[in-house]
Amino acid sequence: MATPCLLDPAAEELKLTGGSTATDVARTARTLLGERFDSESFMYVLMRAYAVDFHAARDASRWQGFGSNPRALSDADLEVLLAPWLATN
């Protein structure tokens, strides 16, 4: 994971431009973070931008957008998981 101070600007930008759905947020995070995009940096920006709790952010880090993993979350699963935080923003 990149140093948190390098991720904070991406978290701020994500909060402003992330989109209305969890998959929009995840794809925007991937664009904002570029080569720094990995499961840990995604967790960090979710927690900073949307105040997602640690356990939910950790689960979101298993999103299928990180590659093939038998325990990967589908887009639909990610939507359900992050709905409580995205609905308040």
Side-chain angles (χ1 to χ4, degrees):
M1 179 174 90
T3 306
C5 65
L6 297 175
L7 300 177
D8 285 339
E12 288 299 316
E13 185 68 20
L14 184 63
K15 187 173 184 176
L16 297 172
T17 63
S20 58
T21 69
T23 51
D24 288 343
V25 167
R27 289 182 181 116
T28 300
R30 181 172 43 204
T31 299
L32 289 169
L33 293 167
E35 62 187 39
R36 294 176 294 180
F37 184 71
D38 60 20
S39 59
E40 291 86 13
S41 62
F42 182 52
M43 281 179 59
Y44 182 85
V45 297
L46 278 178
M47 291 177 0
R48 296 288 293 179
Y50 297 100
V52 173
D53 86 3
F54 172 80
H55 297 289
R58 182 192 61 206
D59 290 347
S61 74
R62 292 183 308 135
W63 175 57
Q64 66 187 2
F66 293 109
S68 63
N69 175 346
R71 297 182 42 216
L73 289 181
S74 68
D75 289 351
D77 292 336
L78 187 66
E79 297 296 338
V80 170
L81 177 66
L82 296 180
W85 292 277
L86 298 181
T88 61
N89 288 299

